[in-house]
Amino acid sequence: MPLAIDNIRVGRVYKLVNYGEIRFLEVMERIGRENFKMKDLATLEYYELEELLRWGKGKDYDLDEVR
């Protein structure tokens, strides 16, 4: 069961699975009520959570805290 967006915390690392893509993301800062600036730990690029979920949540959507 995926973690609710309300439970995301700054400084933590999360595993995001959506539409077959798996990303490990570190939360850098909260920039809105349900939007966060996140750093992809594989590519070191920065994304907004809204950007990653823009096209919806696929059947395989999962968000879990890693550390």
Side-chain angles (χ1 to χ4, degrees), residues 3 6 8-10 13 24 27-28 34 38 42 45-47 51 54 57-58 60-62:
L3 188 67
D6 293 344
I8 294 176
R9 301 290 178 248
V10 174
V13 176
F24 289 90
V27 181
M28 304 308 291
E34 291 188 353
M38 305 184 102
E45 292 183 63
Y46 290 93
Y47 298 100
E51 231 181 307
R54 179 175 294 148
K57 297 176 182 173
D60 62 343
Y61 172 75
D62 194 22

Side-chain angles (χ1 to χ4, degrees), residues 56-67:
K57 297 176 182 173
K59 292 180 183 178
D60 62 343
Y61 172 75
D62 194 22
L63 180 65
D64 292 313
E65 186 176 338
V66 177
R67 54 182 156 118

Side-chain angles (χ1 to χ4, degrees), residues 8-19:
I8 294 176
R9 301 290 178 248
V10 174
R12 303 278 174 98
V13 176
Y14 295 89
K15 177 182 176 184
L16 174 68
V17 179
N18 198 22
Y19 292 111

Side-chain angles (χ1 to χ4, degrees), residues 21-34:
E21 289 187 17
I22 300 172
R23 298 177 187 258
F24 289 90
L25 304 162
E26 180 179 359
V27 181
M28 304 308 291
E29 67 178 296
R30 184 178 207 133
I31 55 176
R33 182 183 164 131
E34 291 188 353

